[in-house]
Amino acid sequence: MSLDDRLVKSAALVGLKIKDAGGHKLGVIRELFVDRDAGIVRYVAVEPAGLFAAGGKFRPLPWRLLTWDDKDEAYVADLTKDRFKEVPAYDRDQLNSATYGWGGQVERFFEGGV
């Protein structure tokens, strides 16, 4: 597979589903957060699906937890559905605030594994 085959536009990622290893839909990607100095995606803001929906709240997942599933054309998160429900949830204003500190909160949540 060439580099060109692995490149994807950010707009193509928004709306893609996220599922757990068991195939359960966790939600969809609504936003990407890029480390401007390193030039890599650090987090995706996931809008929870169905019963997980948190009334306009999003659960940020570290990009490192996601792997691409060609068959389902979705990302698989390296965490269970129950663990996903425990991920801190934030509204859009909190995610857009440079002073809120949600990135550090999410990193602390995932310290020591998922």
Side-chain angles (χ1 to χ4, degrees):
M1 178 180 285
S2 73
L3 174 62
D4 291 338
D5 293 333
R6 294 189 318 263
L7 295 177
V8 62
K9 297 186 305 182
S10 60
L13 294 172
V14 174
L16 284 176
K17 69 181 175 180
I18 303 284
K19 62 181 187 168
D20 68 8
H24 303 101
K25 185 176 179 184
L26 301 177
V28 296
I29 296 173
R30 289 295 175 216
E31 208 158 354
L32 304 168
F33 292 88
V34 177
D35 180 323
R36 67 178 173 215
D37 294 332
I40 59 173
V41 175
R42 292 283 185 196
Y43 302 98
V44 294
V46 178
E47 181 178 30
L51 299 175
F52 304 142
K57 299 238 178 183
F58 303 88
R59 290 186 165 84
L61 295 180
W63 183 258
R64 68 181 182 271
L65 296 182
L66 304 178
T67 55
W68 179 247
D69 179 349
D70 280 322
K71 181 180 175 193
D72 284 344
E73 294 189 357
Y75 280 95
V76 178
D78 186 19
L79 72 162
T80 65
K81 183 169 50 170
D82 289 335
R83 183 73 169 152
F84 177 72
K85 289 190 265 186
E86 297 171 355
V87 173
Y90 304 93
D91 63 32
R92 199 166 286 286
D93 288 339
Q94 291 168 322
L95 288 175
N96 290 332
S97 171
T99 60
Y100 194 77
W102 63 264
Q105 294 170 16
V106 171
E107 284 304 316
R108 283 189 296 279
F109 177 83
F110 285 105
E111 279 179 358
V114 290

